[in-house]
């Protein structure tokens, strides 16, 4: 593969046209499924509203209570699910590509919980209550947690293998979880404010939250798209990547910046969402192959499908209340994680 890439001037051989058409069709179908799921997310809720009425209210706000529910709660919740889902999916795909670790995930490696710790710390000790203020602490927490996991995973004379990174991530996650639990239990005000948010939830978030996190997710997504070709080079190994002109260090640094932006913004908006960033890139590679251009595109569409699907399922199963979407994704993702641990053939090819 490396020699073939050199012979083509540093570019991967073009895929057959029927493969490109198949991938494009699959992405289009996924986008259609996402659109249908968005309608379901706006329709389903604790307040029963007929679908035909919901459809009418989408285009005309008549000032009724049902219109208030649709426009002030369900639509912002759905848009936030799109933004957060895309962010977590892209972050997971980037982490797996850069580390060549099939078990890399913002949740497993402590990045999401690091962002969560930053938000809780800012609220408890600095009195920061606005999402715009909290998001900067989320970035700092995500960056510190990422650095801690990498340093622990690469300590000693051995390199940071996937297993060592997962173990380091589990250790950092345990410490951060204990710290967060202590803060929440000792400060009832903070506990009441974050008791649903800390498990990952889209409920109760309005457009002011979307307006804060969406620009950061947009910047992170643009960086991820720009890195698609260099990441294909990294898949060949560092030496081969350098041989075809990939700047390995700057590529990894840019990917780390994108992950911090994506995870920090997503966590500030909806709390730590588990396992979406782990499972979705594997599904994307199964459908589209190892080309990171397609993996990133599919991850940006499939992850919102999974998150919004979990959110709708939580509303249905928990009726007349609801089960938080982060809990549902964890229940769905646990078996996926066990399967990945047992089947190490799911490597970064």
């Amino acid at each position: 593969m490396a020699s073939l890439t050199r012979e083509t001037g540093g570019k991967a051989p073009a895929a057959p046209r029927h493969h490109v058409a198949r991938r494009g069709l699959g992405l289009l179908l996924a986008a259609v499924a996402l659109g249908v799921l968005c309608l379901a997310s706006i329709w389903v809720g604790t307040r029963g509203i007929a679908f035909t009425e919901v459809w009418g209210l989408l285009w005309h706000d008549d000032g009724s209570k049902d219109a208030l529910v649709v426009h002030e709660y369900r639509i912002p919740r759905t848009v936030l699910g799109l933004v957060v889902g895309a962010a977590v999916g892209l972050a997971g795909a980037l982490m797996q590509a850069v580390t060549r670790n099939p078990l890399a995930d913002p949740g497993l490696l402590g990045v999401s919980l690091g962002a969560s710790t930053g938000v809780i710390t800012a609220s408890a000790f600095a009195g920061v209550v606005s999402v715009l203020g909290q998001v900067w602490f989320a970035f700092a927490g995500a960056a510190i947690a990422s650095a801690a996991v990498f340093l622990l995973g690469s300590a000693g004379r051995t390199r940071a293998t996937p297993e060592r990174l997962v173990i380091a991530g589990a250790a950092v996650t345990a410490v951060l979880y204990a710290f967060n639990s202590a803060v929440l239990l000792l400060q009832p005000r903070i506990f009441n404010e974050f008791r649903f948010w800390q498990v990952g939830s889209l409920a109760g978030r309005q457009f002011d939250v979307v307006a804060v996190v969406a620009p950061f997710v947009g910047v992170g997504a643009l960086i991820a798209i720009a890195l698609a070709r260099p990441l294909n080079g990294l898949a060949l190994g560092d030496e081969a990547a350098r041989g075809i002109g990939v700047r390995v260090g700057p590529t990894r640094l840019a990917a780390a910046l994108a992950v911090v932006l994506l995870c920090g913004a997503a966590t500030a908006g909806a709390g730590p969402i588990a396992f979406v960033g782990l499972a979705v890139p594997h599904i994307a590679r199964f459908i589209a192959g190892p080309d990171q251009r397609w993996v990133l595109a599919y991850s940006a569409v499939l992850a919102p499908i999974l998150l919004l699907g979990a959110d709708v399922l939580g509303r249905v199963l928990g009726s007349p209340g609801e089960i938080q979407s982060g809990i549902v994704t964890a229940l769905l993702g646990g078996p996926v994680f066990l399967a990945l641990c047992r089947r190490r053939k799911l490597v970064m090819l």
Side-chain angles (χ1 to χ4, degrees), residues 113-179:
L113 198 57
S116 177
T117 302
V119 172
I120 291 175
T121 301
S123 299
F125 301 109
V128 179
V129 295
S130 69
V131 178
L132 181 58
Q134 291 172 350
V135 72
W136 297 105
F137 287 87
F139 294 148
I144 293 171
S146 301
V149 170
F150 179 79
L151 290 175
L152 289 174
S154 58
R157 297 183 178 179
T158 57
R159 63 186 182 89
T161 63
E163 293 82 2
R164 287 170 62 89
L165 286 175
V166 170
I167 293 172
V172 171
T173 297
V175 173
L176 294 178
Y177 181 80
F179 174 81

Side-chain angles (χ1 to χ4, degrees), residues 11-300:
K11 297 181 180 180
R17 289 185 178 179
H18 68 278
H19 286 171
V20 175
R22 179 175 60 83
R23 292 167 177 168
L25 178 61
L27 191 60
L28 177 62
L29 292 176
V32 171
L34 180 58
V36 172
L37 194 54
C38 286
L39 289 176
S41 177
I42 298 172
W43 173 36
V44 176
T46 55
R47 183 182 179 90
I49 308 175
F51 179 77
T52 53
E53 185 176 354
V54 169
W55 181 259
L57 291 173
L58 283 176
W59 313 108
H60 175 64
D61 185 350
D62 59 10
S64 64
K65 289 185 178 180
D66 289 343
L68 178 67
V69 169
V70 169
H71 286 274
E72 296 297 325
Y73 294 97
R74 294 187 185 175
I75 293 179
R77 180 175 187 161
T78 301
V79 175
L80 183 63
L82 290 172
V83 173
V84 170
V88 177
L90 287 171
L94 282 174
M95 293 178 72
Q96 291 178 15
V98 170
T99 64
R100 302 182 69 192
N101 179 0
L103 302 179
D105 164 73
L108 288 176
L109 298 188
V111 182
S112 294
L113 198 57
S116 177
T117 302
V119 172
I120 291 175
T121 301
S123 299
F125 301 109
V128 179
V129 295
S130 69
V131 178
L132 181 58
Q134 291 172 350
V135 72
W136 297 105
F137 287 87
F139 294 148
I144 293 171
S146 301
V149 170
F150 179 79
L151 290 175
L152 289 174
S154 58
R157 297 183 178 179
T158 57
R159 63 186 182 89
T161 63
E163 293 82 2
R164 287 170 62 89
L165 286 175
V166 170
I167 293 172
V172 171
T173 297
V175 173
L176 294 178
Y177 181 80
F179 174 81
N180 290 348
S181 299
V183 172
L184 293 175
L185 291 175
L186 291 174
Q187 299 199 28
R189 178 185 64 83
I190 301 299
F191 175 78
N192 290 331
E193 183 179 350
F194 288 100
R195 60 191 179 122
F196 291 123
W197 177 90
Q198 68 172 336
V199 296
S201 175
L202 301 175
R205 313 298 268 181
Q206 297 180 321
F207 273 125
D208 58 335
V209 176
V210 178
V212 170
V213 303
F216 295 108
V217 172
V219 173
L222 289 176
I223 296 174
I225 293 171
L227 292 175
R229 287 186 180 275
L231 290 177
N232 282 334
L234 283 183
L236 307 175
D238 288 2
E239 293 301 323
R242 291 189 182 95
I244 60 175
V246 175
R247 301 173 64 189
V248 174
T251 297
R252 286 205 169 99
L253 185 61
L257 174 61
V259 168
V260 168
L261 287 173
L262 293 167
C263 289
T267 304
I273 302 295
F275 290 108
V276 174
L278 172 68
V280 166
H282 286 286
I283 299 172
R285 281 189 292 274
F286 178 79
I287 296 173
D291 189 335
Q292 291 299 321
R293 294 171 297 179
W294 288 101
V295 171
L296 291 170
Y298 268 92
S299 295

Side-chain angles (χ1 to χ4, degrees), residues 325-344:
S325 52
I327 296 175
V328 178
T329 59
L331 290 174
L332 296 175
V336 174
F337 176 64
L338 293 176
L340 292 175
C341 289
R342 290 177 60 87
R343 294 185 60 192
R344 288 306 309 276

